[in-house]
Amino acid sequence: SIQTISKYPTMLRWIASSRSTRAQLASQRLFSSAPSMVEVTKSSSSSRLEALREQLAKEDANLDDFATSSFQKDTVIRKKAPPRKVLPKPRWLKAKPADSENYQRLRKTVRELGLATVCEEARCPNIGECWGGGEDETATATIMIMGDTCTRGCRFCSVKTSRAPPPLDPDEPEKVSEAIAKWGLDYVVLTSVDRDDLEDQGSNHFRMVVQKLKEKKPDLLVEALTPDFQGNEELIHAVATSGLDVFAHNMETVERLTPMVRDRRAKYHQSLNVLKYVKSVSNCLTKTSLMLGLGETEEDIMKTLHDLRAIDVDVVTFGQYLQPTKRHLPVKHYVTPEEFEEWQVKAEALGFKYVASGPLVRSSYKAGEFFLKNYLNEQKENEMVAN
């Protein structure tokens, strides 16, 4: 260590002097053939060495002390950081197994057509329940368009990331509409990765997929969970006016935690402005989702809910954040089912048309639920009567 070495100034001068002398000798061997000069240098070096030895003898320590005992005592041994504490999952976080016949059928279609679903890419715990459906329930699959690789790297998301993802598939609108026709769904959710690498960020491709779906099945209800398109209103307009029924864009978390949770390009007020602008150019429902368990406070959540109602957002969902891998943000708190029920009551009291709140609720969780479908169908009927 520096402290140990500083105890031996003479030793340091001797080391420096020895190096200098060796350098001079090497230089003289190369550029001089006079042996007498070398002898003089050696003689001079010997006398200086004797003087240094005498001075070292007067000091308390010797070379052995310097090289062994003292050095070893002052050596700092680095210790590994303790492993990050991982909260054990509570008993209520138990999802339905993905093994039903309907689940297998949907999975097979996805594979055959080479489609990506956010259900699989984001490791959603509800895939068994949503894809499985049932006799009285609609099977819901959230199809992820524009590839499976995102240009952003949010700290909660397990979707693959790259600055230069593969190009868009021009046949994707046809493939998606074919898949929906095979599934026989009456409610579909489309989402996409962020494509900041493209000039229009994929907005026109998104629009084409929605229009193709409506063309093949006019009665199909389409929900689009979109990126923020960097707040570009022209690009947002292309998707909002494509004929979809629900425009969803997730806030993900409260304002205070946004810089730590989301990619630096995803900003809290930018997301609010996306939802606000959609209301001004389209009559579709607007929807957003919040993850809980990242360290937010009750005040944080209430502020976000008031911000959403101020721009007339219709639907909000609450779900528990679950750490997808060790590389992602850890869970700070597991919210109980009772607390989720309380947030549902509070949100409904603020005037949201529909609220879904629970540990395993996700933005597209059971998006085709009876209430939401009924609301949209009633809205369409009222428009027909008005016309």
Side-chain angles (χ1 to χ4, degrees):
S1 67
I2 294 174
Q3 185 179 1
T4 303
I5 293 172
S6 65
K7 294 178 182 178
Y8 308 99
T10 305
M11 177 67 71
L12 291 175
R13 288 195 296 273
W14 176 76
I15 293 170
S17 175
S18 296
R19 288 178 178 171
S20 175
T21 301
R22 286 196 297 270
Q24 289 174 12
L25 286 171
S27 174
Q28 287 165 1
R29 289 192 188 102
L30 286 172
F31 301 107
S32 174
S33 59
S36 59
M37 290 296 292
V38 176
E39 289 171 7
V40 170
T41 305
K42 283 182 177 177
S43 175
S44 174
S45 176
S46 297
S47 62
R48 289 170 61 192
L49 185 57
E50 289 298 327
L52 283 168
R53 283 174 176 162
E54 288 178 11
Q55 200 164 346
L56 278 170
K58 294 176 183 178
E59 294 185 356
D60 295 332
N62 56 37
L63 185 60
D64 290 335
D65 293 328
F66 175 77
T68 57
S69 59
S70 296
F71 177 74
Q72 290 172 355
K73 286 177 185 177
D74 291 344
T75 300
V76 177
I77 300 173
R78 292 183 177 273
K79 294 182 179 180
K80 287 185 178 180
R84 192 163 56 183
K85 185 179 180 182
V86 179
L87 295 177
K89 284 186 180 179
R91 64 184 185 281
W92 58 79
L93 283 174
K94 187 175 180 180
K96 182 178 180 180
D99 56 6
S100 69
E101 184 179 335
N102 208 44
Y103 166 82
Q104 297 297 342
R105 181 171 62 85
L106 262 66
R107 187 172 183 271
K108 182 180 178 183
T109 308
V110 167
R111 295 288 181 277
E112 288 175 348
L113 296 174
L115 300 176
T117 67
V118 75
C119 316
E120 293 178 299
E121 298 297 329
R123 306 183 186 188
C124 181
N126 301 313
I127 189 169
E129 185 175 359
C130 289
W131 286 26
E135 291 183 7
D136 300 319
E137 297 178 11
T138 301
T140 304
T142 302
I143 295 176
M144 189 163 68
I145 62 175
M146 300 198 288
D148 62 357
T149 307
C150 188
T151 53
R152 299 190 185 181
C154 294
R155 296 164 188 84
F156 64 88
C157 183
S158 65
V159 173
K160 290 186 292 187
T161 62
S162 172
R163 292 180 180 177
L168 299 180
D169 178 4
D171 298 325
E172 188 170 52
E174 183 63 37
K175 289 179 181 178
V176 170
S177 58
E178 183 183 339
I180 301 307
K182 282 187 176 182
W183 288 338
L185 303 179
D186 53 3
Y187 195 110
V188 65
V189 183
L190 299 174
T191 188
S192 78
V193 292
D194 283 89
R195 292 301 301 260
D196 300 285
D197 59 312
L198 302 175
E199 187 177 351
D200 70 346
Q201 297 172 51
S203 57
N204 287 309
H205 187 88
F206 212 130
R207 180 183 178 89
M208 287 172 60
V209 174
V210 175
Q211 291 179 335
K212 194 72 176 178
L213 285 168
K214 288 288 188 177
E215 178 187 314
K216 287 201 170 186
K217 193 174 181 182
D219 294 336
L220 179 69
L221 296 173
V222 180
E223 176 179 325
L225 175 57
T226 77
D228 59 21
F229 299 111
Q230 297 181 13
N232 187 316
E233 292 184 351
E234 182 181 349
L235 307 185
I236 300 166
H237 186 274
V239 179
T241 59
S242 62
L244 51 79
D245 301 284
V246 180
F247 187 105
H249 174 67
N250 287 345
M251 300 299 297
E252 308 293 7
T253 188
V254 297
E255 182 176 9
R256 181 175 59 85
L257 297 179
T258 294
M260 292 167 278
V261 173
R262 303 174 72 188
D263 184 275
R264 59 180 175 77
R265 290 163 287 187
K267 300 175 177 64
Y268 180 83
H269 287 284
Q270 181 168 275
S271 289
L272 283 175
N273 288 335
V274 169
L275 293 164
K276 181 180 180 181
Y277 177 72
V278 170
K279 274 292 185 183
S280 69
V281 298
S282 172
N283 62 353
C284 61
L285 288 175
T286 51
K287 176 180 175 181
T288 195
S289 180
L290 291 171
M291 298 178 292
L292 303 185
L294 285 160
E296 66 286 331
T297 65
E298 184 175 344
E299 291 75 17
D300 289 331
I301 301 170
M302 286 305 299
K303 179 184 181 302
T304 299
L305 292 177
H306 283 293
D307 288 343
L308 292 170
R309 285 306 300 137
I311 57 173
D312 201 24
V313 170
D314 301 297
V315 180
V316 65
T317 68
F318 299 94
Q320 171 70 54
Y321 167 66
L322 296 175
Q323 184 181 13
T325 73
K326 291 180 180 179
R327 296 182 293 106
H328 293 83
L329 289 172
V331 176
K332 293 291 183 68
H333 171 61
Y334 283 111
V335 182
T336 65
E338 292 75 23
E339 288 175 294
F340 275 111
E341 288 177 9
E342 289 175 11
W343 280 116
Q344 177 158 357
V345 172
K346 289 176 182 178
E348 288 173 345
L350 290 175
F352 288 98
K353 291 183 174 68
Y354 179 66
V355 180
S357 182
L360 292 176
V361 168
R362 294 295 178 266
S363 178
S364 54
Y365 173 70
K366 299 178 78 173
E369 276 191 285
F370 180 78
F371 175 85
L372 199 53
K373 284 196 299 181
N374 265 9
Y375 181 86
L376 289 168
N377 287 329
E378 285 176 12
Q379 193 178 42
K380 286 187 176 183
E381 288 175 10
N382 291 336
E383 287 176 1
M384 289 177 65
V385 170
N387 293 332

